[in-house]
Amino acid sequence: MLSVIIPTEGVEQTAVATLAALVPGAAAGIIKEVLLVDGTRNGVIERVADVAGCRFVDCEGSTQGAALAAGAREARSPWLMFLPAGAVLDTGWIDETAQFIQSVAASGRDRAAVFRYARSPYSDTGFRDVLWSVARLLVGPLSGQGLLIAREHYDRIGGYPPQARRSEARLLRRLGRSSRTMLRSRIVMVA
C-alpha cells in the first residue's frame, strides 16, 4: 500500500532511528517497502539497508530533490511517504495514515498530507527553533514534516524537481493549502 522513501546523507544513526519507528507500520501491513536513498558512496547506508531488509537506491545527484526524485522513481506502491532521516513518527500514525488513504480514495479528490511538527523534548530550544516555529505558522509546513501522497497525484504535479534548490518547499507550494492536510500524528526529528 505504501512506499516509504528516506533520503539519507550517509549517516547511520538518523536512518536507523527512522527505520525503528517504521517497524510497527511494516508489522501492520501498511508499509510495502522502504527505500533508503543515498549518494555519498561510503557504503554505510547500503549496509543498513541490507541488514534492515530495505531497498537501497544509489542517487546520482547531490541535492535533496535528486534523492527524493530517485526514490520516487524506484518506489512500487500506489502511495508514497517521504520522510527525512532522523524522523520519528508518533505511535498513532499507522491508523491515521490508513484512514487518510481510505478517505482520499473514497472522495476521488487529490489530497496530500504532512505530519504535525513536534520538537524533541531532549533538544535545547534556541533562537533558531523560535524562527522555524514562526516560519511554520506563516508559510505552512516545511520539508522536515514528511509528505504522504498518492503516486498519481505526485506524478500529475511534477514530483520533486531534481536540480532545483529547495525542491521540497517547491512541491509543498505546488500542492497548495487547499489540497494539503495536516495530520494529527506528530513527527519528531532526532539528531
Side-chain angles (χ1 to χ4, degrees):
M1 165 184 289
L2 182 66
S3 291
V4 180
I5 299 151
I6 305 168
T8 66
E9 296 175 357
V11 180
E12 179 180 5
Q13 293 83 357
T14 54
V16 170
T18 302
L19 290 173
L22 295 175
V23 169
I30 194 167
I31 296 176
K32 179 179 181 179
E33 66 179 345
V34 176
L35 296 92
L36 295 178
V37 185
D38 189 69
T40 61
R41 304 196 195 293
N42 65 7
V44 171
I45 299 303
E46 193 169 3
R47 284 190 302 275
V48 169
D50 184 46
V51 169
C54 302
R55 290 181 51 208
F56 174 75
V57 178
D58 190 11
C59 178
E60 294 280 328
S62 60
T63 66
Q64 186 83 345
L68 293 164
R73 277 191 307 275
E74 294 292 322
R76 299 182 203 143
S77 299
W79 279 86
L80 307 173
M81 180 187 288
F82 297 93
L83 293 176
V88 176
L89 298 172
D90 264 352
T91 56
W93 76 268
I94 298 167
D95 292 334
E96 188 173 20
T97 299
Q99 289 172 6
F100 176 78
I101 290 171
Q102 289 171 352
S103 71
V104 169
S107 74
R109 292 183 356 178
D110 286 339
R111 304 274 312 153
V114 294
F115 295 95
R116 191 170 305 281
Y117 180 79
R119 210 172 46 76
S120 171
Y122 306 110
S123 66
D124 293 329
T125 304
F127 184 68
R128 185 176 178 191
D129 294 321
V130 172
L131 289 178
W132 282 117
S133 297
V134 170
R136 279 186 184 83
L137 289 173
L138 295 176
V139 299
L142 301 176
S143 60
Q145 291 181 237
L147 178 66
L148 176 63
I149 189 169
R151 171 181 286 291
E152 291 176 356
H153 187 193
Y154 174 84
D155 291 339
R156 245 189 316 278
I157 63 171
Y160 284 109
Q163 303 308 324
R165 288 184 52 219
R166 299 178 27 84
S167 62
E168 296 148 301
R170 287 177 187 226
L171 182 67
L172 287 172
R173 267 198 310 274
R174 270 185 279 156
L175 285 170
R177 291 181 189 261
S178 62
S179 68
R180 201 174 52 213
T181 299
M182 177 79 69
L183 299 175
R184 290 181 312 273
S185 300
R186 293 177 302 169
I187 187 168
V188 176
M189 294 299 296
V190 296

